[in-house]
Amino acid sequence: MDINKVNTKILPVSFDYYAPSSIEELLSILKREEEVVFLAGGTDLLVKMKQRIVEPKVVVSLNRISELSFIEEKEDGLHIGAVTKLRAIEKSDVVREKFPVLYWGVRAIGSVQIRNMGTIGGNLCNASPAADSAPPLMVLNAELKTIGVEGERRIPINEFFVGPGKTVLKSKELLAEIKVPYLPPNSGTSFIKIARTSMDIAKINVAVMVRLENGRIGECRIALGAVAPTPMRARKAEEFLTGKEVTDENLRRAGEIVSKEIRPITDIRSTAEYRREVSKVLTYDALRIAIREASKE
Amino acid sequence: MKKLIEFTLNGRKVRVEVEPNELLLNVLREKLCLTGTKYACGIGECGACTVLVDGEAVLSCLTLAIEVDGKNVVTIEGLAKDGKLDVIQEAFLDEGAVQCGYCIPGFILTAKALLKENPSPTEDEIREYIKGNLCRCTGYVNIVRAIKRASELIKEGEK
């Protein structure tokens, strides 16, 4: 429905509301209720409810569960609670220093107000093909921990998205934690987003991780958003670059492969042709930046 | 099902009964009669409904009132103390930053959060921070100047 024809001043749906203060309490609510909708920052959910795209009977707020909001450095990587505010991730020194690609991705989301409200788990579970936190976490090979009435699951982020607004999460299952492994030595990352205005959702975004090995590309990960039904890895371009020398020609060729590999559509933000064309340059630029970062060490 | 919530509003405890689907914006304006907080886009793009919750700038049009139970909320009405305007409000007047005025409460509260976090922001930092606030009169130049002036006034006041 055209958002301009909706009365966005009110929420035209009534629902029961729970705000559990622990995971234990949350699970007992999930066992009792037939169908629930989870509320985190609300910046996507409430807009959908105003348009009646989502009309929940039961809303379960996750905002009082402190166990789901944390940023913790552990031996196997950085652990981020799913209900951690985007702004907390942006302000975290460890994210900025050790995972700059995530810092840049998160910073590209909306405004200060949106990032004060929105959460990392919400950005992922909303499953927008353009989610700015997704490509960075995909090139970092993040692992997602879910919880639900049927127990825990661990899902690689590269298998999490299945379509626009759709993830592998089952009903009454929620994302609890994101584990981000540390980057290997001699590696660098980058993130670039193109949008109509800096507040807008991406026309296209790209994240890159490159590990150099004796002057060659030892390992390479490229992820893009807003160019397919889900955020995607450009596996063919990654495969092409692996083991190759860092030459301008190889990097340009990788951009061309990406441009063929993506499956963009024409929508209000961009045309498919534009996305195909600009993906070449963006990939090239992102590779250049990541290689420069990798060479710094 | 209605629920009684209690929160701090502009320094005073308030209690109000709300339905789960009531937005903070509407509870502030219609139940608590504080009409300084404005409704405009309703979808998180314009910043007119910005209020401070526990010191952070958030959008009251996308916040359930029930979620601020126990929290500390500040609206534009809470900035002036003992009949004296906040330094940011003074700076907006001095710089002629107010045209139609509709967006100004949101801008001033966003500026309040900015200056608390970063007392001497550069022009780029100011513009980046207020990018979620739209002024339909397009008076951005004077608004940015006013925030800069406020940061200088705060520094002078500290000397």
Side-chain angles (χ1 to χ4, degrees):
Chain A
M1 197 201 286
D2 184 351
I3 189 84
N4 296 317
K5 294 184 180 138
V6 173
N7 176 3
T8 58
K9 190 168 181 287
I10 54 161
L11 274 182
V13 283
S14 34
F15 47 83
D16 288 336
Y17 168 91
Y18 296 100
S21 53
S22 67
I23 290 176
E24 197 187 335
E25 198 185 329
L26 167 71
L27 290 176
S28 76
I29 293 167
L30 294 183
K31 272 177 200 147
R32 209 168 57 223
E33 295 293 334
E34 238 173 72
E35 216 182 315
V36 307
V37 167
F38 296 113
L39 167 69
T43 56
D44 287 311
L45 178 64
L46 264 59
V47 176
K48 286 181 188 168
M49 284 166 67
K50 286 180 177 190
Q51 300 173 82
R52 292 181 186 269
I53 295 170
V54 181
E55 297 183 89
K57 293 264 186 310
V58 179
V59 169
V60 177
S61 167
L62 305 174
N63 292 313
R64 309 235 168 219
I65 308 179
S66 54
E67 295 162 82
L68 292 176
S69 174
F70 58 86
I71 301 175
E72 239 178 75
E73 270 191 283
K74 289 190 188 164
E75 233 169 69
D76 60 348
L78 189 69
H79 292 241
I80 305 175
V83 189
T84 305
K85 297 289 181 192
L86 293 166
R87 193 102 173 110
I89 296 172
E90 178 188 346
K91 284 184 175 173
S92 149
D93 290 335
V94 46
V95 171
R96 197 192 276 235
E97 282 158 26
K98 295 187 182 163
F99 305 91
V101 65
L102 179 59
Y103 167 77
W104 289 112
V106 164
R107 241 187 96 93
I109 298 170
S111 58
V112 169
Q113 288 95 320
I114 295 287
R115 298 198 297 278
N116 277 336
M117 301 169 77
T119 64
I120 186 81
N123 193 238
L124 294 175
C125 294
N126 188 51
S128 160
D132 289 319
S133 73
L137 289 170
M138 288 168 95
V139 300
L140 290 166
N141 273 348
E143 184 186 81
L144 308 179
K145 186 177 109 181
T146 70
I147 56 175
V149 279
E150 291 169 30
E152 290 183 17
R153 287 202 289 163
R154 277 162 215 278
I155 305 162
I157 188 164
N158 293 301
E159 294 165 20
F160 185 65
F161 304 107
V162 292
K166 291 200 173 66
T167 68
V168 298
L169 285 175
K170 297 177 198 159
S171 151
K172 298 199 279 181
E173 184 179 39
L174 73 144
L175 179 58
E177 187 178 320
I178 299 144
K179 186 186 89 181
V180 191
Y182 294 111
L183 284 164
N186 305 314
S187 63
T189 55
S190 62
F191 175 83
I192 306 178
K193 167 181 180 176
I194 293 188
R196 297 180 299 182
T197 70
S198 67
M199 261 291 279
D200 198 21
I201 294 168
K203 283 164 175 274
I204 173 168
N205 54 23
V206 58
V208 162
M209 192 290 301
V210 168
R211 181 174 59 78
L212 296 176
E213 202 176 288
N214 308 321
R216 286 172 180 266
I217 294 173
E219 192 184 353
C220 164
R221 300 179 203 142
I222 304 169
L224 297 102
V227 295
T230 66
M232 63 171 280
R233 286 278 291 273
R235 304 277 185 187
K236 285 180 191 157
E238 294 178 3
E239 205 173 297
F240 165 78
L241 277 176
T242 307
K244 291 274 189 323
E245 269 180 69
V246 178
T247 64
D248 212 54
E249 202 192 322
N250 281 338
L251 301 185
R252 295 224 180 263
R253 180 87 194 97
E256 277 159 28
I257 297 171
V258 164
S259 154
K260 292 205 183 81
E261 214 176 339
I262 60 176
R263 291 170 286 146
I265 55 164
T266 295
D267 63 13
I268 54 163
R269 295 193 171 79
S270 248
T271 60
E273 292 97 310
Y274 176 79
R275 287 181 162 118
R276 276 205 200 277
E277 207 46 46
V278 82
S279 68
K280 294 180 199 169
V281 193
L282 276 197
T283 304
Y284 173 83
D285 286 348
L287 282 165
R288 274 270 167 236
I289 298 168
I291 289 164
R292 189 189 68 206
E293 291 301 310
S295 316
K296 272 186 187 167
E297 292 197 354
Chain B
M1 199 183 55
K2 274 199 185 330
K3 193 191 162 200
L4 184 68
I5 60 167
E6 185 181 301
F7 61 100
T8 307
L9 177 59
N10 299 330
R12 293 160 76 173
K13 282 254 185 300
V14 292
R15 287 169 140 211
V16 55
E17 259 197 350
V18 298
E19 291 283 351
N21 68 350
E22 280 186 87
L23 298 168
L24 177 60
L25 170 72
N26 298 333
V27 168
L28 291 172
R29 287 181 58 87
E30 287 154 23
K31 289 196 164 154
L32 299 164
C33 301
L34 296 182
T35 53
T37 307
K38 304 300 187 212
Y39 161 72
C41 76
I43 54 174
E45 296 194 354
C46 77
C49 68
T50 300
V51 298
L52 304 180
V53 173
D54 291 345
E56 308 264 25
V58 302
L59 303 171
S60 60
C61 82
L62 292 179
T63 301
L64 298 181
I66 208 166
E67 291 260 299
V68 302
D69 194 11
K71 302 208 170 184
N72 185 3
V73 179
V74 174
T75 67
I76 191 69
E77 289 90 346
L79 288 197
K81 293 270 144 58
D82 307 322
K84 204 173 165 300
L85 291 180
D86 186 89
V87 64
I88 300 173
Q89 291 171 309
E90 290 286 359
F92 269 66
L93 290 178
D94 292 348
E95 293 293 341
V98 181
Q99 292 186 47
C100 88
Y102 200 85
C103 67
I104 297 300
F107 266 105
I108 289 180
L109 288 166
T110 307
K112 187 83 186 162
L114 164 65
L115 294 179
K116 196 186 76 185
E117 218 176 284
N118 177 0
S120 351
T122 63
E123 180 168 337
D124 283 350
E125 284 168 342
I126 294 172
R127 286 183 179 271
E128 171 68 26
Y129 207 95
I130 62 172
K131 79 179 187 188
N133 292 81
L134 301 183
C135 166
R136 215 203 68 169
C137 309
T138 70
Y140 295 105
V141 171
N142 289 0
I143 290 172
V144 171
R145 207 177 280 158
I147 297 173
K148 194 94 189 124
R149 182 175 170 81
S151 101
E152 282 154 15
L153 287 173
I154 292 169
K155 253 178 282 167
E156 276 171 29
E158 282 168 358
K159 274 178 197 165

